Amino acid sequence: MDFDELLQEIRELRRKFDSLVRLGEVTEVRIEARAVKVRYLDRDEAESNYLPVLCWGSEASARPEQIPRKEELVVVLSLPQGLDDGVVLGAISELTQEMADVLRMHL
């Protein structure tokens, strides 16, 4: 493998890594299904289908307050198949300046 091929491989790995974790805003909520739709900030406002929300404990012990509300900023762990495959890891209650700077670099 020459240098150019190695550089291309590194770029491809970076692209894949960047697409694993995404930020978005909740647009719709289905509390009973423990799922939300997300508008991705880095994908020209593309919206997901309903994604499951990671909750603590069993399904029976999950509480409605664990589900992000409409317009909340959330972190999504995306699967390689596309924007509609993933899980919402949780909401970000307060965006720090450091987080905002990192977002600006990646969006």
Side-chain angles (χ1 to χ4, degrees), residues 26-49:
V26 174
T27 58
E28 293 183 41
V29 178
R30 290 177 59 195
I31 291 175
E32 69 286 346
R34 294 173 184 80
V36 297
K37 283 189 177 184
V38 176
R39 180 179 54 84
Y40 293 105
L41 303 179
D42 66 339
R43 293 291 180 195
D44 295 327
E45 311 273 325
E47 186 177 70
S48 72
N49 287 327

Side-chain angles (χ1 to χ4, degrees), residues 6-66:
L6 181 60
L7 190 57
Q8 184 63 29
E9 286 288 321
I10 291 171
R11 286 185 182 133
E12 179 63 15
L13 286 172
R14 173 70 190 261
R15 185 193 65 76
K16 287 180 179 180
F17 180 78
D18 286 346
S19 67
L20 285 176
V21 178
R22 300 193 180 286
L23 291 174
E25 181 180 74
V26 174
T27 58
E28 293 183 41
V29 178
R30 290 177 59 195
I31 291 175
E32 69 286 346
R34 294 173 184 80
V36 297
K37 283 189 177 184
V38 176
R39 180 179 54 84
Y40 293 105
L41 303 179
D42 66 339
R43 293 291 180 195
D44 295 327
E45 311 273 325
E47 186 177 70
S48 72
N49 287 327
Y50 282 99
L51 299 172
V53 176
L54 182 67
C55 294
W56 295 103
S58 68
E59 184 175 321
S61 66
R63 298 181 310 274
E65 62 268 16
Q66 292 177 311

